Amino acid sequence: MADKARVAVMVSSEGTNLQALIDAQRAGLIDRGEIALVISNRESARALQRAEKAGVETAVLRPKDFGGQAGFEEACKKLIDSKDIDLIVLAGFTIILSRDFVNYYDHKIINIHPSLIPAFCGDGYYGLVPHEEALKRGVKVTGASVHYVNEIADGGEIIAQKAVNVEEGDTPETLQRRVMEQAEWLILPVAVAKICRRIVKERQKRV
Ligand code: GRF
């Protein structure tokens, strides 16, 4: 559809951020975007069920089926390009993509990270780790960030951030949940909506 940007979401697990995107699209918040494809590297990812329920096309692409990461990335590229995707959202995607891949999609890949970058981010900071480290350090405020993906882990240009208070007695799990509810599920759909509007606007200028 010419007046909508086509979005692919890459996932590995629960898919609550994917769900937030699906809900935002349904609610009309993502008015210039369409979630057109969900790619998972894990067959058992709950995110796949969420996508199927929403009628979104899914694909399971596993590095081991393509002889490793390089073959996997080629397969992703082939699929993504065949679907005319304008924006790729990494939403709980656990594979670190190669420099070649991210350069190929320069400023077309965004990621959601559960901390206020540059705190608690980079290699190894996935799952509960950012929250464990935030609690260890004793910060009173943490949050989430949406950023463009470049060759440095969590190092690309920041698009949006939202702060979340750490509370007395927090565990990594309670903090993770609060960061999701109060930050991730809000800022990711807003960022996607904004980028989709810009993509469509730029496309309309060109014709
Ligand atoms: C989220 O905390 C996200 O910030 C991080 O991985 C987690 C994915 O959760 N990158 P979900 O699969 O979206 O529920």
Side-chain angles (χ1 to χ4, degrees):
M1 211 187 285
D3 66 340
K4 294 214 173 174
R6 291 173 58 78
V7 180
V9 186
M10 298 181 79
V11 295
S12 302
S13 49
E14 267 304 300
T16 63
N17 280 286
L18 169 65
Q19 191 65 53
L21 292 173
I22 291 169
D23 294 346
Q25 182 181 314
R26 222 172 255 151
L29 172 68
I30 303 179
D31 54 355
R32 284 286 182 258
E34 179 197 356
I35 304 162
L37 177 66
V38 168
I39 298 176
S40 175
N41 61 315
R42 286 181 53 229
E43 210 167 13
S44 59
R46 167 102 200 280
L48 287 170
Q49 293 167 27
R50 297 178 189 271
E52 276 155 23
K53 200 164 163 217
V56 178
E57 182 177 340
T58 60
V60 176
L61 301 178
R62 299 177 301 186
K64 67 172 185 189
D65 297 331
F66 297 96
Q69 173 128 355
F72 161 77
E73 290 186 354
E74 272 316 305
C76 289
K77 271 190 198 168
K78 215 167 153 185
L79 177 63
I80 289 167
D81 293 348
S82 76
K83 302 286 174 190
D84 289 325
I85 296 299
D86 300 295
L87 177 67
I88 301 164
V89 180
L90 308 184
F93 186 64
T94 52
I95 293 178
I96 306 259
L97 295 162
S98 71
R99 176 190 294 258
D100 280 355
F101 189 91
V102 300
N103 286 346
Y104 180 76
Y105 292 111
D106 185 30
H107 276 80
K108 282 190 172 176
I109 313 179
I110 67 171
N111 180 49
I112 174 86
H113 181 76
S115 77
L116 293 174
I117 293 171
F120 312 119
C121 66
D123 255 355
Y125 280 85
Y126 59 85
L128 283 174
V129 178
H131 308 296
E132 285 164 357
E133 293 300 316
L135 290 175
K136 258 191 228 160
R137 188 63 187 81
V139 295
K140 303 302 174 206
V141 174
T142 182
S145 308
V146 179
H147 63 93
Y148 284 106
V149 174
N150 66 8
E151 68 283 359
I152 303 158
D154 299 322
E157 185 188 331
I158 294 168
I159 301 164
Q161 290 187 304
K162 190 165 185 291
V164 173
N165 286 335
V166 177
E167 286 174 12
E168 197 74 30
D170 259 339
T171 63
E173 290 79 7
T174 60
L175 187 56
Q176 178 185 50
R177 183 75 194 178
R178 190 174 319 108
V179 167
M180 284 179 158
E181 286 176 353
Q182 295 184 8
E184 295 186 41
W185 301 341
L186 308 179
I187 64 172
L188 183 61
V190 169
V192 168
K194 220 163 136 181
I195 296 169
C196 288
R197 272 183 223 125
R198 201 199 59 220
I199 291 170
V200 170
K201 215 165 160 185
E202 279 166 9
R203 196 150 61 198
Q204 285 168 349
K205 263 196 262 168
R206 283 202 300 267
V207 287

